[in-house]
Structure formats: structure tokens, C-alpha cells
Amino acid sequence: MTENGLGHREKVLNMNTMNPNVKRVEYAVRGPIVQRAVQIEKELKEGVKKPFSEVIKANIGDAHAMGQKPITFFRQVVALCAYPDLLEDNKFPDDAKNRARRILQSCGGGSLGAYSASTGIEVIRQDVARYIEKRDGGIPSNPDNIYLSTGASDAIVTMLKLLTSGEGKTRSGVMISIPQYPLYSAALAELAAVQISYYLDEDKCWGLDVSELRRAVEAAREHCKPRALCIINPGNPTGQVQSRQCIEDVIRFAAEERLFLMADEVYQDNVYAEGCQFHSFKKVLFEMGPEYSNTVELASFHSTSKCYMGECGFRGGYMEVINMDPQVKLQLTKLVSVRLCPPIPGQVLLDLVVNPPRPDEPSYATFIKERTANLEILAEKAKLTEQIFNTVSGIRCNPVQGAMYTFPRLTLPEKAIAAAKEKGQAPDMFYCMKLLEETGICLVPGSGFGQRDGTHHFRMTILPATEKLKIVLENIRAFHKRFTEEFS
Amino acid sequence: SKRTGYCENRMSFLSVREISPKVRSINPTELEPLVKRAAQIKTELTQGVRKSYKDVIDVCWGDPHRGGVKPLTFVRQVLAACMYPQLIHSDKLPVDVRRRAQRLLDVCDGESVGSYTATAGIPYIRSNLARFISRRDGGVPSSPENIFLSSGSQISLTHVLKLLIHNQASLPIGVLTPMSTYSTFKMAVEGLGGAVIPYYLEEERGWELRVEELRRVLREFKDVCNPVALYVINPGNPTGHVQSRTSIEEVIRFAAEERLFLMADEVYQDSIFGEDTEFVSYKKVLSEMGPPLSHQVELASFHSVSKGFMGECGLRGGYVELVNLDPEVKKYIYNIFLTDSSPAVTGQLALDLMVNPPRPGDPSYPVYAQVRPIKIILWKLMPQRNILEVLNNIPGISCQPITGGAFILPRLHLPQGAVRKAEELGMQPDLWYCKLLLEEAGVCVGPGCEYGQKEGTYHIRLRVLTPVDTMEEVLRRLKNFHLNFLKEFS
């Protein structure tokens, strides 16, 4: 009874009336462990004593948060666009000013504050098409097939929304890798589509075997209609860079099974290992000849959040659609118009990523130095991480061939697994929570990404500054030893 | 065809049949083709094609900057300094700008606007928004926990709709939606599988919202769908109507009686220009109505940096404040925002600058005070009473006064001959009118059919946040065109 004695009135929006799909959404990268980390940070600020002085958030692929500096040229141009009076300031190089002027000309009223077309500013879409052509050795790219988006996530979710239909056994099924980046599983849960899991092979450096794809899709046909195949290359969280052969196999498989291919290529510049190379799905597709390049339907995604620039907060991204049915394309264009347009500063940043300083331009020297340094440091840290983790008994780490993460396998004592069960936690969640409480290091348990039954992992980013990373790796090594002893 | 990347004469893997029926059910906007044609004509003009006009004037978007309104200097200086922090150490920018930029960078991870933020937005900014809301509402408490930022209010509107709309029952979930309204809201409802329940505003009474109409419409649709939410836009888009306190109270009482979740889109709250008109928020009125209503009625109110005196549509900054939500449901709100990762940082910063402008005594204050008040902005533009007078003096056009918002929605009294001709062409009469107006006079306005209107009535929508010269030219061309149009079709 409430104070006025009228009895408790049920809310219009309550647990029974709320969209039930919302309950199924989980996103481990920002999940309960992160919420605890934020709480601990608060406690530290309030002066609570802990065995550590700071929380290290190695849970999220955010380079700037871990101290990486932005690319000077990029920030100069967006600042010039934001406050064009600066075009009179001689501290800014001419090439930055020219870029800014060109971009502002294509903005309504010459302002970043005007809406753009929902697919993005035309001149930027053209620049993206040119970048793709150059990257893929001249294979043509049509700006009409480019959709700018609010980060790659926006475009990925839009595509999934587009192809989700059916009820019961006719529900759309979407193939996603296990382990996967949980945006996919979250979006599929919200859309009530069926997740078709295919397992990457940990023993083969997280390689992808077509026979596994076949197994997954055949089993899935019993209870859903498989429509699409999602692949992340370079991989998140697993860091593998697929071989060209593998990409061809996947394309062939998609063609046979008539699946729409979604290639998440946001880490395309993050390739570190010797003998590994990024091959874009589109390039491989076209090099396989017209039988495939005229028929396989593909969407590839890229963003400003990763690679060497790490501009997550700008929410810049795009997708390119290949061989999409024109009627379907109309529906896609209609669908993106509902959210109006992607943030203009993000579109501008994307334009700079695809149109960076050229060798003959004044800003080139600094640009190439910063870009190279960022990628080299990441490569060093990838190697360092693999090396150190593999010295720990009970931790086994595949080479970090690319992307920004390591996903090592943990051997956990039986007693620990039992203790976790008692708490109602996945064993790797139990492990990560304890690690957080004892060392302030925030990782994401492997259960948040999916893994083979009975295996345990965590995902750690390789982004903390090198010296800090060394300490983090040491602390995890020490923790793992303690943990193993405690639960033996 | 290599150009389109699509090979004809083959069966697509993904054909329209396989596309989500919800997506297919979305009614597309009429504006994009018009805007595309306007862009084409602009190009033709630069290529030397002869027309009876020298430029295309676009007054159909609700985009102040596109229309010639300048961004606020303080806002852009702070944003530039946040994006390129070397500017913080240069003395080219006023000291309050530099201080503010540093303060904002301090609350960004790694002191960079390139980092992700918390999913609901930077906590410091959420706190500031809560304080702003409380100030605006004369002290009614506001908690940062109930405020969620997003990359534009459209996204948070869609997220709230996502909570409300599901397909578990036999009848679709219904959302009462005003006619007229802008099209993307309707598209958002349809895209989620919901049903738009249209309610009509009373044109002859200045586009007033009457509860009798809400009641009528509920009766009519009760067996066809399950009404769950009531969406109101105040100040109205495109109608320019600002609700009185009494009207707001009536709507709240109605929502309580009929058990409807209230969605109050208040993005135009700073665009008030009626002489005696004042904006009062739904939340404030609700609070002042006292218990039990003030504790019961579930409300989501939306605001953004896109309109008002900021006009920063392209920065994508918006928020929703949730009032009286079920605590169990609140736990899941966060889930819906998760797949966006985090809202665009530039939009978040712009929100902070909107609610925390320069104060008297700050170096940036004099410039800011000169341009900020919307009435001043509008007095630099054509006074709305002048626009009204010109429009009402064109035979065949009548127009209600506007007291807020960004648009005016004059009614076209089209001759029968014109309506017949449009029907022959298979087009809505006002859309056809807009196409002709664009081709023959180089003026781009929005057709009433886009926004919803009473059957048999026709309207056009013009943006009033437009510089004087431009507006005068628009009205001149419109008058000429309309008189010729009447001659041809009477």
C-alpha cells in the first residue's frame, strides 16, 4: 500500500509488457565486471585502501583511453572544420586548411552542424570509394554502394535488422564465429533472430575450417533459415588474420549455401605477425572471377575506431555493399534514413582516414611517423604479450597476429570451478572478478565471447602503454600463480 | 552491371521476400526525391542551364545552419580546442573557452574526445543535464541516473519505442502520433512492427491538441491494435503550436486514465517566439499536479542540440529523461543503449555547452548574449507575424499563427482542377504542387502529405529559421508561382 492508501498501481511499462527481447541482450565488454571496475574507481577516489592504486581497464578496445595520442593532422582538420576562423591562423598547415575548406564546402551552410544526407556526405562517400579502389588494386568501387554510419556497429546492426524475418522455424539464422565480438549476439538477441555458432579452431591459431561452417549450417537448417555469415577479420577477440586461402573457402561456402556475407574489417591495418597479411573480402572475391564476383552478396565494414587512429568517440564508419539486390538496396536506404544521419565530425574523420596526407604534402612526414609508430608499438606489445603469457604455467596464448586483443586459454583448478559454480558464476568470470579485486586489472571473461564447453579464457587488450603493459602482465602472472595455489 | 555491382537475371541470395516485413512496412519519406531533384537543379544552374530563377532556395529541412543561421562562437571554439588541445595553450582563444575545454577533456578517458564514454554518456555531463533540467523546471528534482545520452534524439526515441513495442500479442502495439508530425518518427514505429494511431490537431484553433480527439481516436483503434504510448511534440513540428499548461495537464490526465506511456518530444523548447508564449515542460506540469499522478504517470522527455539556439543537427547530441519508470524495467534500459557503444562525444560536449553557457562576467558572455536568445535570432530573421501576413494575403493560401518551433504549415486551398490533375498523375496534390514549385520557382518546401493531415486538406511546410532576405525572396517566388498556378487550374 502506498501512503495515500490507494494500493500499488501497476506500471504501463512493466516486466510483463516490456519487449521481452530486451532481456536477452548482453554485452560482456561493458557488462557486470566493468560496472564493478567503475565502482572500485569511485572507492579509490574516496580514499578506500586497496592493494593497487588504479584500475586498469584492459577490457575495451579504446586506444586513446590507454594513452595513445591522436593523429595530429586529423585533429587539425576537424578543429578547422569546427571553428573555421582558425583558417586564418598560420599555425595550421596549408594541406590541413585545404582539406577543411573542401569538406566545409560540402556541408550544408558550410557548417558541421547541418544534417547530411542519411547515407553520408557525397564527396566523402566518393573518397571512401577511391580509397577502397586503391586498397584493392584497382577493383572498381561505386560510391552509391557506400553507406556512412555511426561507427561500424550502426551499419552492422542495420544490416542485421534488414535481414531478420520469420517466426519459429522460418526465423532468420545468422552465422557468427565463436569466440565473437558480442555486438553480434546482442543484436541478434534483440532482433529475435537465430544465432548459428561456428567454432574457430584454437589449436590452429583460431583458424577457420569450412567443414565446421558446413556442420553448423546443416544443423541450423533444422530450426531456422540461415541467411547470413558474419566473419571478423582480423579477428576479435582472437586476433587471427585469416589466410587468403581461408577467405576464398569462406566465399565459396557462402556462394554454395547462398548466404549473405558480412565481413567486419575494422582492424584491417592492425596486422603484426610475420607472414600475415590483410586480404579484403572484396578483393579476393573479385580475383576469384565472375562466377563469384557477379553473384556473392557481400557487405564489408570499416570504422575510425581502431587501426592506427583509434578515434572511437567520433563514431565514424562505413559499409560497402556488393551485388545487393536493387530492391533490397532500396529498403536499406529507406532504413538508414530513419536515424537521420551519422555525426558529421565522424564523417569528416573518416574522410581523413581514407584521404590522408600524400607524400608531396607538408603534413606527410609527421603523419607517416605517427602512423608507423602507433602500429609498430602495437606489434611490439602483441609479441610481448604472447611471450610473457606463454611463460605462465596454466596460461596458453596463441600468437596475436592482428587486431588489439589477446584471448589466452586458462587452465583452472577443479576447486576454483566448483567455487565459481557455487557463486553462480562462469569460472572465467569468477577468475576475472578476483583478478579485478586483487590487482585492479579489468579484463573480460571468455564466457562473454563464447568458447568451447569446458574451456576458459579471458580477453585482454594490448593497448596499455608498454611499461604499464609489462606491469599488467607481471601482475596477471603473479595472480595466476596465487589463484592456482589457493584452489589446489 | 559493373556500375551497380549487381548482375541482372540471377536469383539474389537476399531478395526482398527475405527482408524483414517490419522494414518493408516502413512508409518511405517523400522528401528525399524532392531534395535530390533540388540538388540536381543546383548543379544544372552551375552548368549554365537557363531557368527563370538564379538559385534554388531550400526551406524544407529543419536545419538552421543550412538555412544560414551561424553556429555559436563559444560552442565552436570549445569544440575545436577539445578536438585539437594545442589550442588550449594558445592565447588566440578566450580564457573561459580554454578553461572549459580543459574541464571537458578532464572527464574524457585519456583526455581525448576520441575515447569511448560510458554507455549512458559522460557522468559529469549527465549531472550537468540534471541540474539544468531542475533549474528549468523551477527546482523539480532531476537525477542523472534517469538521463541517457544518445547520438541525436532520434536514437533515444527509437530506443524507448523498442522497449514498448513487441510482437508477442496478436494485435500490434499502437502509438498515438500527431498528424502532423515529421516522418522519421512514424518510420521508427513502423520499423519496429508498431502501429501509428494518428490523432489530428485542430488547425482552425492554431493546431491545438484536444483531448476529445485523443479519446475519439482511442475508441476507433482499440480493436485494431493495443495502444500503449502517446507521443506529443511540444512545441509542435511542423505546426509551430506551443501547448498551454492547461492542455498539458489534460493530456497527462488522459494518459493516466487510459494507461498510456507518455513520450514528450521537447526538442524545440528553446524556439519560442510568441509574444506571450512560454514553454513549460511536461515534467514540471506533472510534478506540480501532485500525487498520485506525479508518482504514477510514466514519462520520457526528449531534448537535443539540433534545434533551438544551437542548431547543431550534425553533431548528433540528444538525451532522454525517464520519469516514474518501473525500477525493474530501468535495469534493462541500459541494455538497449549498449549496442551503440557510446554516444558521439562531440554531441555530448555540445549538450554540456548548451546547458552551461557563458555567464555574465565571462569573457565570451558579451558575444554569446548578443546572439543567443531565440527572439533576437528571430528578430534578425523575418518576424513571424510578417510571414503570416504575406501568406494570408495570397489568395488560396491560409495560415495559422505560430508561437514556437522551426516551421510554418500554411494550408493550400487547391482548385478542383489541380486536385484532379494530380490524381491523374497518381500523386498526392501537395507533393505535386511542391514538385512544380521547385521546377518553376526554384523553391524547395515540404509537402503536407509527408507529415500527415486531414483527408482532403493540403499543406506545405516552410522553415522559418531563415535569414530575412531569403525568406522575403521565398515568399515573393511562392506568391508569383501560386497566382499563376491558380490561373492555370481554376
Side-chain angles (χ1 to χ4, degrees):
Chain A
M1 285 296 237
T2 56
E3 304 155 346
N4 57 19
L6 278 182
H8 184 66
R9 185 188 131 118
E10 204 187 38
K11 298 281 182 184
V12 173
L13 182 59
N14 58 59
M15 292 309 283
N16 293 325
T17 58
M18 182 180 87
N19 179 351
N21 295 336
V22 175
K23 279 183 246 176
R24 291 194 236 130
V25 173
E26 280 169 347
Y27 184 64
V29 177
R30 288 171 178 263
I33 197 163
V34 178
Q35 284 158 18
R36 176 66 190 139
V38 169
Q39 214 180 350
I40 293 179
E41 268 180 328
K42 259 200 203 130
E43 290 172 16
L44 280 172
K45 255 206 185 119
E46 289 160 9
V48 176
K49 297 235 83 184
K50 299 221 177 260
F52 48 87
S53 57
E54 66 170 324
V55 170
I56 299 180
K57 297 219 215 60
N59 58 296
I60 190 163
D62 186 341
H64 292 200
M66 290 286 109
Q68 182 179 298
K69 295 288 161 242
I71 300 293
T72 305
F73 183 77
F74 292 178
R75 292 303 190 87
Q76 285 175 334
V77 177
V78 284
L80 285 164
C81 289
Y83 185 50
D85 280 23
L86 293 172
L87 289 165
E88 309 302 314
D89 184 343
N90 56 17
K91 289 245 180 67
F92 287 86
D94 283 333
D95 48 3
K97 291 183 181 175
N98 288 337
R99 290 281 199 295
R101 281 193 196 98
R102 177 172 175 264
I103 289 168
L104 286 175
Q105 247 172 13
S106 59
C107 294
S111 165
L112 288 188
Y115 286 122
S116 74
S118 52
T119 49
I121 295 174
E122 171 126 22
V123 99
I124 297 180
R125 285 163 50 226
Q126 289 166 359
D127 289 350
V128 170
R130 260 195 293 274
Y131 159 82
I132 294 172
E133 278 177 3
K134 200 161 163 225
R135 179 197 70 189
D136 294 344
I139 294 165
S141 174
N142 184 344
D144 287 342
N145 290 333
I146 311 277
Y147 290 75
L148 302 194
S149 55
T150 307
S153 311
D154 173 27
I156 292 168
V157 170
T158 297
M159 273 310 305
L160 292 175
K161 222 183 269 194
L162 189 69
L163 52 83
T164 301
S165 64
E167 319 223 325
K169 285 212 172 142
T170 63
R171 273 195 301 163
S172 302
V174 177
M175 300 186 71
I176 62 177
S177 64
I178 299 298
Q180 50 107 31
Y181 171 52
L183 166 74
Y184 291 88
S185 49
L188 292 173
E190 202 191 284
L191 292 166
V194 176
Q195 176 178 324
I196 304 171
S197 303
Y198 64 87
Y199 290 84
L200 300 176
D201 194 338
E202 184 158 19
D203 295 327
K204 296 212 178 109
C205 206
W206 298 113
L208 172 50
D209 208 307
V210 175
S211 56
E212 167 58 12
L213 291 178
R214 216 176 293 284
R215 176 210 64 76
V217 85
E218 270 162 29
R221 285 202 200 282
E222 311 273 307
H223 59 266
C224 72
K225 285 241 145 109
R227 295 247 179 264
L229 164 55
C230 298
I231 178 161
I232 311 175
N233 183 50
N236 174 10
T238 45
Q240 87 287 2
V241 177
Q242 300 296 0
S243 67
R244 198 211 161 79
Q245 181 62 53
C246 171
I247 295 175
E248 281 188 21
D249 291 345
V250 170
I251 291 172
R252 228 168 259 122
F253 173 78
E256 280 162 22
E257 300 291 336
R258 301 176 59 76
L259 296 171
F260 189 95
L261 249 181
M262 289 176 57
D264 182 341
E265 299 175 326
V266 302
Y267 297 99
Q268 56 192 260
D269 293 332
N270 300 110
V271 175
Y272 317 122
E274 287 281 319
C276 284
Q277 204 190 330
F278 170 71
H279 302 281
S280 85
F281 264 80
K282 185 185 177 197
K283 180 164 197 251
V284 175
L285 174 64
F286 275 76
E287 289 173 352
M288 285 168 75
E291 181 199 343
Y292 293 98
S293 59
N294 281 346
T295 59
V296 173
E297 294 166 30
L298 165 70
S300 52
F301 306 90
H302 193 21
S303 98
T304 61
S305 303
K306 313 296 176 187
C307 293
Y308 62 90
M309 52 277 180
E311 297 282 12
C312 316
F314 275 84
R315 315 311 293 124
Y318 75 77
M319 85 171 140
E320 183 186 25
V321 298
I322 300 296
N323 292 329
M324 186 177 263
D325 181 310
Q327 293 299 313
V328 172
K329 197 149 176 287
L330 281 173
Q331 295 294 324
L332 172 62
T333 305
K334 184 181 68 171
L335 186 57
V336 300
S337 72
V338 180
R339 58 103 173 88
L340 295 174
C341 71
I344 308 300
Q347 296 190 39
V348 172
L349 207 90
L350 180 69
D351 191 59
L352 300 169
V353 168
V354 302
N355 200 9
R358 288 183 299 273
D360 58 316
E361 290 184 303
S363 299
Y364 180 75
T366 307
F367 166 75
I368 206 70
K369 190 162 140 232
E370 291 173 348
R371 179 184 196 274
T372 309
N374 284 354
L375 290 174
E376 269 175 7
I377 293 172
L378 281 170
E380 279 164 22
K381 292 194 281 194
K383 221 182 188 138
L384 177 72
T385 301
E386 181 200 340
Q387 265 168 9
I388 294 193
F389 273 150
N390 280 328
T391 67
V392 184
S393 159
I395 298 187
R396 207 194 77 199
C397 184
N398 268 326
V400 178
Q401 293 176 338
M404 293 178 169
Y405 316 95
T406 178
F407 197 69
R409 172 108 168 248
L410 304 171
T411 308
L412 300 179
E414 277 306 313
K415 279 207 184 137
I417 297 177
K421 203 168 178 193
E422 243 172 83
K423 266 197 153 173
Q425 277 178 341
D428 44 30
M429 170 66 96
F430 177 72
Y431 179 96
C432 289
M433 277 296 201
K434 213 160 187 301
L435 175 71
L436 174 63
E437 299 290 341
E438 287 182 26
T439 66
I441 298 169
C442 182
L443 309 178
V444 189
S447 43
F449 300 89
Q451 56 201 347
R452 283 213 180 271
D453 270 338
T455 64
H456 315 288
H457 301 78
F458 60 67
R459 186 188 83 165
M460 185 189 85
T461 71
I462 59 169
L463 297 173
T466 310
E467 287 316 305
K468 194 169 263 180
L469 181 65
K470 286 184 183 157
I471 297 173
V472 166
L473 293 168
E474 261 317 303
N475 288 348
I476 294 177
R477 190 201 339 233
F479 168 83
H480 192 87
K481 193 155 179 280
R482 278 198 314 273
F483 184 90
T484 312
E485 278 163 10
E486 186 181 335
F487 289 98
S488 57
Chain B
S1 138
K2 263 239 169 85
R3 277 287 294 165
T4 61
Y6 180 75
C7 187
E8 273 83 33
N9 301 325
R10 68 168 184 94
M11 254 207 29
S12 312
F13 297 177
L14 204 61
S15 75
V16 158
R17 265 191 322 275
E18 281 98 36
I19 296 309
S20 160
K22 292 183 212 169
V23 173
R24 275 182 281 153
S25 75
I26 300 175
N27 283 303
T29 174
E30 305 284 8
L31 268 185
E32 294 240 16
L34 258 177
V35 169
K36 247 200 180 135
R37 180 61 192 141
Q40 256 171 0
I41 297 179
K42 275 188 196 143
T43 314
E44 288 171 16
L45 285 169
T46 57
Q47 290 167 348
V49 174
R50 306 218 71 205
K51 297 217 183 264
S52 62
Y53 45 89
K54 58 173 175 50
D55 59 4
V56 173
I57 307 180
D58 190 333
V59 285
C60 84
W61 286 121
D63 194 332
H65 293 192
R66 184 180 291 271
V69 174
K70 295 286 160 234
L72 292 177
T73 305
F74 179 75
V75 172
R76 291 308 189 82
Q77 286 175 333
V78 173
L79 282 177
C82 288
M83 290 171 175
Y84 188 56
Q86 275 86 324
L87 289 170
I88 296 180
H89 307 297
S90 113
D91 52 11
K92 293 255 171 75
L93 296 176
V95 73
D96 54 345
V97 165
R98 290 184 269 146
R99 218 180 287 133
R100 180 70 72 92
Q102 186 61 61
R103 185 71 190 89
L104 288 170
L105 286 178
D106 285 344
V107 297
C108 293
D109 275 348
E111 285 198 22
S112 166
V113 297
S115 298
Y116 286 121
T117 73
T119 298
I122 297 173
Y124 168 75
I125 297 181
R126 285 167 86 197
S127 294
N128 289 344
L129 284 174
R131 262 195 290 272
F132 154 78
I133 292 168
S134 198
R135 252 189 345 254
R136 176 199 69 188
D137 294 342
V140 175
S142 171
S143 163
E145 306 288 299
N146 291 329
I147 299 173
F148 289 77
L149 275 55
S150 59
S151 299
S153 62
Q154 269 306 108
I155 292 191
S156 42
L157 271 162
T158 307
H159 285 339
V160 173
L161 287 174
K162 241 185 252 192
L163 278 174
L164 294 163
I165 299 177
H166 58 75
N167 307 107
Q168 306 296 306
S170 49
L171 293 178
I173 301 280
V175 179
L176 278 85
T177 306
M179 297 291 124
S180 310
T181 187
Y182 61 99
S183 60
T184 51
F185 182 78
K186 288 180 277 184
M187 293 167 87
V189 173
E190 288 160 356
L192 291 168
V196 167
I197 303 176
Y199 64 86
Y200 293 90
L201 303 172
E202 194 81 13
E203 180 163 14
E204 278 76 47
R205 296 166 72 122
W207 300 106
E208 194 185 319
L209 196 174
R210 313 206 71 208
V211 172
E212 295 85 76
E213 167 64 8
L214 296 178
R215 247 183 260 288
R216 179 196 72 77
V217 127
L218 260 196
R219 273 196 307 271
E220 189 179 316
F221 280 81
K222 236 181 177 125
D223 297 321
V224 166
C225 64
N226 176 16
V228 150
L230 166 56
Y231 176 65
V232 295
I233 314 176
N234 182 47
N237 169 13
T239 53
H241 169 77
V242 178
Q243 272 185 287
S244 66
R245 173 187 282 270
T246 315
S247 171
I248 297 177
E249 284 181 6
E250 285 173 358
V251 170
I252 290 175
R253 234 170 251 123
F254 175 78
E257 279 160 25
E258 300 294 340
R259 291 182 55 70
L260 296 168
F261 187 98
L262 250 179
M263 294 174 68
D265 187 336
E266 299 174 322
V267 300
Y268 290 100
Q269 58 189 265
D270 291 320
S271 301
I272 306 289
F273 35 80
E275 295 287 312
D276 301 308
T277 315
E278 239 186 59
F279 168 78
V280 60
S281 78
Y282 263 78
K283 185 179 179 208
K284 179 169 200 235
V285 176
L286 177 61
S287 164
E288 290 174 352
M289 286 168 84
L293 286 178
S294 57
H295 297 321
Q296 280 174 358
V297 175
E298 292 147 73
L299 166 70
S301 55
F302 304 87
H303 193 17
S304 97
V305 300
S306 300
K307 318 293 175 186
F309 60 90
M310 296 278 286
E312 297 281 11
C313 312
L315 296 184
R316 314 312 296 121
Y319 75 79
V320 57
E321 184 186 21
L322 302 165
V323 181
N324 289 332
L325 253 68
D326 182 320
E328 287 301 306
V329 168
K330 252 178 49 172
K331 295 187 195 149
Y332 290 97
I333 310 279
Y334 187 73
N335 280 17
I336 301 230
F337 283 78
L338 276 179
T339 51
D340 300 333
S341 287
S342 60
V345 177
T346 47
Q348 298 193 46
L349 300 181
L351 274 169
D352 193 72
L353 297 170
M354 180 177 82
V355 302
N356 252 341
R359 279 194 287 268
D362 291 345
S364 300
Y365 183 73
V367 171
Y368 170 78
Q370 261 184 344
V371 292
R372 182 264 182 254
I374 195 69
K375 292 190 171 136
I376 291 178
I377 292 180
L378 289 160
W379 289 338
K380 280 200 170 133
L381 311 177
M382 190 158 180
Q384 65 93 11
R385 60 176 175 279
N386 289 12
I387 303 177
L388 203 60
E389 204 179 306
V390 172
L391 287 169
N392 276 322
N393 277 332
I394 304 176
I397 296 187
S398 67
C399 192
Q400 292 296 313
I402 47 168
T403 46
F407 303 99
I408 197 161
L409 193 70
R411 174 136 171 223
L412 303 173
H413 303 271
L414 297 176
Q416 268 311 305
V419 176
R420 263 199 306 273
K421 182 72 196 280
E423 279 166 10
E424 261 168 58
L425 295 168
M427 256 196 265
Q428 289 289 335
D430 41 22
L431 175 59
W432 176 58
Y433 182 96
C434 289
K435 287 195 165 159
L436 289 176
L437 178 65
L438 175 61
E439 293 294 337
E440 295 176 20
V443 173
C444 188
V445 302
C449 56
E450 166 87 351
Y451 314 105
Q453 55 201 348
K454 279 209 175 115
E455 184 83 36
T457 67
Y458 313 105
H459 300 80
I460 50 173
R461 184 186 88 162
L462 292 85
R463 182 187 62 242
V464 293
L465 287 182
T466 301
V468 190
D469 309 340
T470 313
M471 200 62 196
E472 277 173 353
E473 178 64 11
V474 164
L475 293 172
R476 191 190 64 78
R477 291 192 199 181
L478 174 64
K479 181 171 182 180
N480 277 348
F481 169 83
H482 193 81
L483 292 174
N484 284 335
F485 184 88
L486 286 181
K487 251 190 237 149
E488 193 177 337
F489 290 102
S490 291

